[in-house]
Amino acid sequence: MYKYDLHVHTKEGSACARNTGAEMAEMYAREGYSGFFVTDHFYTGNTAVPRDLPWEEWVGRFCEGYRSAKKRGDELGLDVFFGWEFGLGGGTEFLTLGLDEAWLLANPDVCRMDPVTYSTKVHEAGGYLIHAHPYLEASYVPCIRLFPRLVDAVEVLNAPKGDFINARASEYALAYDLTQTAGSDSHNDHPHKLAAVSVPRRPASAAEFIAMLRGREHSPVLVQG
Ligand SMILES: [Zn+2]
Ligand SMILES: [Zn+2]
């Protein structure tokens, strides 16, 4: 089985992250992962990239964490894939996998899309949506919002979140028959807790990885914690 992390932040893309994409790649290699998706906080979330930049430039800078991780990951034999964590406001976040920089450049209105439009556009392009920690409780989360018809999967194991938050997410996924995923939500290269999605084969692309999720060939696993 091969371990992948579907929820990883880098300093280049996320204001709250401490390490570069390259350093994150080194940590995941040390921890025995086969790869990961870089999912930095997007424009409407805690992005590290100044929002007053022209869109093309903003997107270019936003992808730097991925590029840094990918370059070092290639050297270390890790599969590094691109994604982002799309903030809908109020702490609702969708991990968005399977799309690329070109899609972002072609969709400069992405930050103004309502959840239905965002889900429709992402799916039309072959993307995949995971509701990250849907039961998160925090000062910036005024209410818990669920979108069972808009997402493909639910993050039922977010390593640093408590058992209570993860258990509610599992119940939600089961109730709506949504795919269950895991992630570490790592913001530095010495996280206390790590989770992974384990898959039976090494995928040649993000699309192949997503196909395994769609086929439910994977399992969410707690790696350390
Ligand atoms: Zn963060
Ligand atoms: Zn996150």
Side-chain angles (χ1 to χ4, degrees):
M1 299 299 268
Y2 302 91
K3 286 183 294 181
Y4 289 80
D5 202 327
L6 308 192
H7 195 159
V8 176
H9 294 276
T10 73
K11 185 166 102 171
E12 293 91 337
S14 300
C16 38
R18 296 283 177 80
N19 291 93
T20 62
E23 289 165 343
M24 296 307 277
E26 283 168 14
M27 185 269 284
Y28 281 105
R30 277 198 305 276
E31 296 292 339
Y33 280 71
S34 298
F36 60 97
F37 282 79
V38 173
T39 56
D40 281 313
H41 294 295
F42 201 63
Y43 188 94
T44 49
N46 201 15
T47 178
V49 185
R51 292 190 185 85
D52 54 1
L53 291 172
W55 183 244
E56 294 69 31
E57 209 177 317
W58 189 89
V59 170
R61 291 267 301 269
F62 178 73
C63 296
E64 275 175 19
Y66 161 72
R67 276 195 282 269
S68 160
K70 169 87 173 118
K71 182 166 179 286
R72 190 71 186 110
D74 284 348
E75 293 164 1
L76 296 166
L78 283 178
D79 302 321
V80 178
F81 300 125
F82 181 57
W84 58 84
E85 184 168 21
F86 191 78
L88 290 165
T92 303
E93 317 236 40
F94 291 172
L95 298 171
T96 306
L97 314 182
L99 302 181
D100 58 10
E101 186 173 359
W103 187 87
L104 288 175
L105 291 172
N107 287 276
D109 58 338
V110 62
C111 299
R112 290 185 295 280
M113 289 177 191
D114 61 84
V116 172
T117 308
Y118 183 70
S119 169
T120 304
K121 293 267 187 193
V122 165
H123 287 127
E124 276 171 5
Y128 193 82
L129 292 177
I130 303 167
H131 193 158
H133 43 64
Y135 286 84
L136 177 66
E137 295 186 54
S139 57
Y140 58 91
V141 181
C143 64
I144 288 163
R145 298 190 293 170
L146 303 177
F147 300 86
R149 310 304 176 198
L150 301 187
V151 300
D152 303 288
V154 176
E155 186 184 59
V156 301
L157 174 52
N158 179 298
K161 305 289 183 290
D163 290 343
F164 182 84
I165 285 172
N166 288 329
R168 300 290 80 70
S170 288
E171 291 165 0
Y172 168 44
L174 284 170
Y176 285 89
D177 193 26
L178 291 163
T179 295
Q180 305 190 21
T181 70
S184 302
D185 209 348
S186 51
H187 283 72
N188 60 59
D189 68 358
H190 50 280
H192 299 300
K193 294 188 172 188
L194 285 168
V197 157
S198 101
V199 290
R201 297 182 300 285
R202 278 193 84 150
S205 62
E208 251 184 62
F209 187 90
I210 289 167
M212 285 193 278
L213 293 180
R214 291 193 198 282
R216 299 194 182 177
E217 296 181 65
H218 69 291
S219 27
V221 291
L222 188 63
V223 174
Q224 160 194 319

